[in-house]
Amino acid sequence: GGGAKWRRAAMARRERYFCTAGRGMESFAAREVRARLGATEVDYVSGKVFFTTRAELCDLRKLKSGERLFLLLKRRAPLHLPRNKGKALHEIKSLVTEEPRNWLDIISIWKNLCGHKEEKDHVSQENPLPLKRKPEEEVNIAAKRQKTDTISEECQAGAEKSCLVTKSDQDFGTESQTCREEPSQSSEEKDVDNEKHTFSFRVSCRCSGAIAKILTSQEIGRAVGIALMKQFGWRADLRNPDLEIFVHLNDIQSVLGIPLFRIPLANREYIQTAGLRSTIAWAMASLAEIRAGAFVLDPMCGLGTILLEAAKEWPEACYWGTDISDSQLEGAYTNIRSAGLMDKIELLKASVKALPLPSESFDAVISDIPFGKKFKITKDVPYLPDILQEMERVLRVGGNLVLLLGQDLRKDMDEVMKRVASDGSPKAVSDGASETTTVKTSNVNGNSSSAVTDVEESFLSSRQMCFGSLVLDGVYGVSLGKTDAFIHKYKKISTAGNQ
């Protein structure tokens, strides 16, 4: 009676979640959960944003800046494991055994959110094999499953080790020898036994830092899996479990959670052919301050990812995309048609250096400038100034220009500023205007990274300079996986050449 009453109260309270985010995207995700979900107690560390909300599952699914969404099981200080592997494994198991009641309460909340049967059906239809594996790995897994009981852990892509582990009967024997001293069952544990839920599960594990030097991800996942089976009587299932337990241990903290959706939030169902990462495209569109009735242009639209993200989120605006490549335009057209946005987005073949569009006709210009040699500034072919001048021309006064630049193009942009300063044309902005310009930086820790700091310092050293009528209004360092990039936001403060 008491446990049921407590859980009913838990259902009415605001629940604690976290979403994973790409490096540099944490601040965007923090702002989004506040605005979209009315979230409170929002804080973030490298790669994760924690928040509390009473939002429904359908609203949680609408998050655009995060990669995956989790119901928080446990968040605690980092584990300081002893060098002895047996004792270290026993400490890992305490993540499960120290608060068994809390596990069951969170499972009840998860069931309330998703529904046990409905969620499993939803998982099966959505993606029975959530992570791609090499063909030979599939064969190995199938062979092992014929003669072993399986506990698995699948890890997300990243610097941390990723793995898939199997558990044999022999390993169980080894494990019991490692941890011979089992604590006696308390009255709370006996109470938990009476309320066990029969689930199939798997464990996904990532570990880094000091803990990774003592135990592998496989060993951690195995220990957590065994503890779950012993504590709750759950059954391991690799391919289609009811429940997945996410474990991430590093030098900052220990985090455990239950993913709410098998397909990552970043995998948009309305994008048929992926171009720029959808979360980055959404973040760029959010910086453009798109309002109802606005005209928005991507002059190098590629496959149209930025336009798709913007049109889905701000459907009351009008969108135009241009590109010089027929193949890119064909891909963008396919994406737009499959997303049902043909009435929202117009495509046009044109060079970004000579746009067949009226001057000052767009409220926002957003573009991912290609990172190749084609647009690299040289003494003979100054592509970037030409591109900027044309974007500036079609942008209305008060409008926003949002660009994604690679490392080299960021340096090229700095060079453009220096040329503007040395040539004296376009003009420098007045001291008064420079005082209103703010440089915003964002990285994984909420502080400036070394790369972003370099950008900030280089622009602050010449912050009175602008390109024509464009004034820098923000720099955001983000990760594209193997490379870093920078989102630059500019605001047009006057008609070009008439300041």
Side-chain angles (χ1 to χ4, degrees):
K5 183 178 179 181
W6 192 95
R7 280 194 294 278
R8 282 195 298 271
M11 299 304 179
R13 72 184 185 190
R14 298 166 71 88
E15 301 307 338
R16 193 75 173 152
Y17 301 88
F18 71 94
C19 68
T20 53
R23 194 166 67 249
M25 285 294 296
E26 297 91 347
S27 62
F28 289 96
R31 285 195 295 270
E32 186 190 5
V33 297
R34 289 190 185 100
R36 194 187 298 275
L37 305 177
T40 59
E41 301 176 275
V42 180
D43 69 283
Y44 60 88
V45 295
S46 176
K48 294 183 186 66
V49 178
F50 299 87
F51 60 95
T52 301
T53 182
R54 197 180 285 118
E56 299 292 335
L57 195 65
C58 58
D59 295 319
L60 292 166
R61 191 188 292 275
K62 294 176 183 176
L63 289 174
K64 300 286 189 174
S65 55
E67 297 290 330
R68 295 192 75 190
L69 180 67
F70 300 82
L71 182 62
L72 183 64
L73 266 169
K74 184 186 293 287
R75 181 187 184 188
R76 53 165 285 178
L79 292 173
H80 298 290
L81 300 181
R83 281 289 177 182
N84 180 281
K85 186 167 287 189
K87 293 181 179 179
L89 289 169
H90 187 73
E91 186 72 18
I92 291 296
K93 289 182 179 181
S94 70
L95 291 171
V96 175
T97 59
E98 66 184 3
E99 293 179 300
R101 168 63 63 187
N102 183 66
W103 280 77
L104 294 182
D105 290 333
I106 299 298
I107 293 300
S108 295
I109 293 165
W110 169 75
K111 287 183 67 180
N112 186 57
L113 276 170
C114 306
H116 181 194
K117 181 181 184 299
E118 291 78 7
E119 176 64 7
K120 184 163 185 175
D121 291 341
H122 165 72
V123 166
S124 300
Q125 294 169 7
E126 228 181 342
N127 192 4
L129 289 175
L131 295 180
K132 295 181 179 178
R133 302 189 186 90
K134 298 177 181 178
E136 60 270 20
E137 187 178 356
E138 290 281 6
V139 173
N140 292 337
I141 293 169
K144 290 179 181 179
R145 282 176 61 83
Q146 292 178 1
K147 53 186 176 182
T148 65
D149 294 323
T150 304
I151 296 175
S152 72
E153 58 171 90
E154 293 179 344
C155 303
Q156 297 176 353
E160 293 85 3
K161 298 178 181 178
S162 65
C163 46
L164 177 72
V165 294
T166 59
K167 188 66 189 173
S168 67
D169 293 333
Q170 183 179 0
D171 288 334
F172 275 107
T174 304
E175 194 68 25
S176 62
Q177 291 175 12
T178 304
C179 302
R180 287 186 294 269
E181 296 182 8
E182 296 290 344
S184 59
Q185 193 175 40
S186 66
S187 59
E188 183 188 30
E189 289 171 331
K190 290 177 182 177
D191 188 38
V192 167
D193 282 340
N194 295 329
E195 299 186 30
K196 285 182 179 179
H197 301 276
T198 302
F199 288 120
S200 61
F201 78 100
R202 69 176 171 208
V203 177
S204 299
C205 181
R206 298 168 65 190
C207 66
S208 60
I211 194 169
K213 297 177 181 179
I214 300 172
L215 296 173
T216 66
S217 292
Q218 290 94 334
E219 291 169 326
I220 293 171
R222 185 178 300 132
V224 171
I226 289 172
L228 288 171
M229 285 191 291
K230 288 183 176 180
Q231 187 74 54
F232 304 117
W234 295 348
R235 174 177 55 84
D237 185 348
L238 169 62
R239 294 186 177 274
N240 189 24
D242 298 314
L243 187 66
E244 183 178 6
I245 304 298
F246 172 90
V247 180
H248 189 189
L249 309 178
N250 56 30
D251 293 338
I252 300 174
Q253 60 188 353
S254 303
V255 178
L256 285 78
I258 302 173
L260 292 179
F261 310 114
R262 201 59 66 84
I263 294 180
L265 295 170
N267 292 11
R268 313 288 203 241
E269 75 281 357
Y270 50 81
I271 297 181
Q272 186 168 328
T273 305
L276 176 66
R277 187 69 172 161
S278 61
T279 52
I280 303 292
W282 182 89
M284 293 175 67
S286 72
L287 290 172
E289 302 174 31
I290 301 169
R291 294 180 174 85
F295 283 80
V296 181
L297 170 69
D298 183 347
M300 290 182 284
C301 67
L303 294 173
T305 307
I306 294 174
L307 295 172
L308 288 166
E309 288 297 301
K312 279 289 186 181
E313 186 71 27
W314 297 276
E316 300 303 317
C318 300
Y319 298 91
W320 288 70
T322 68
D323 205 285
I324 197 65
S325 167
D326 287 326
S327 62
Q328 292 289 291
L329 286 173
E330 288 173 8
Y333 178 83
T334 301
N335 276 336
I336 292 167
R337 183 178 56 191
S338 64
L341 293 171
M342 294 292 291
D343 61 332
K344 297 290 183 184
I345 303 172
E346 296 285 344
L347 295 177
L348 181 67
K349 182 175 180 179
S351 168
V352 66
K353 293 167 61 181
L355 295 170
L357 299 168
S359 296
E360 300 191 19
S361 54
F362 288 91
D363 301 283
V365 177
I366 316 171
S367 192
D368 168 17
I369 297 184
F371 296 172
K373 295 180 180 179
K374 179 179 179 181
F375 293 97
K376 188 174 180 62
I377 289 182
T378 65
K379 291 181 180 179
D380 300 323
V381 192
Y383 284 106
L384 194 54
D386 292 347
I387 291 171
L388 288 172
Q389 285 176 344
E390 191 66 350
M391 291 180 178
E392 176 191 39
R393 180 184 69 80
V394 300
L395 186 64
R396 290 174 180 163
V397 174
N400 295 298
L401 171 65
V402 181
L403 302 175
L404 184 65
L405 306 172
Q407 294 274 12
D408 290 340
L409 281 175
R410 184 264 296 178
K411 296 175 183 177
D412 293 344
M413 185 70 82
D414 213 6
E415 181 64 25
V416 169
M417 294 296 180
K418 290 178 181 177
R419 290 187 183 185
V420 170
S422 61
D423 294 342
S425 178
K427 299 176 182 178
V429 300
S430 66
D431 289 342
S434 68
E435 289 174 0
T436 64
T437 301
T438 10
V439 176
K440 310 179 189 74
T441 60
S442 166
N443 77 342
V444 294
N445 295 315
N447 301 311
S448 299
S449 65
S450 58
V452 177
T453 302
D454 291 341
V455 178
E456 183 181 9
E457 289 177 352
S458 67
F459 276 103
L460 287 177
S461 66
S462 59
R463 66 177 180 268
Q464 295 183 11
M465 298 301 169
C466 67
F467 191 84
S469 60
L470 300 175
V471 175
L472 182 68
D473 193 39
V475 178
Y476 303 81
V478 295
S479 172
L480 299 179
K482 293 183 179 179
T483 183
D484 290 330
F486 302 88
I487 301 173
H488 286 211
K489 178 183 176 181
Y490 298 86
K491 188 171 287 290
K492 186 168 180 176
I493 60 172
S494 66
T495 302
N498 298 309
Q499 297 182 32

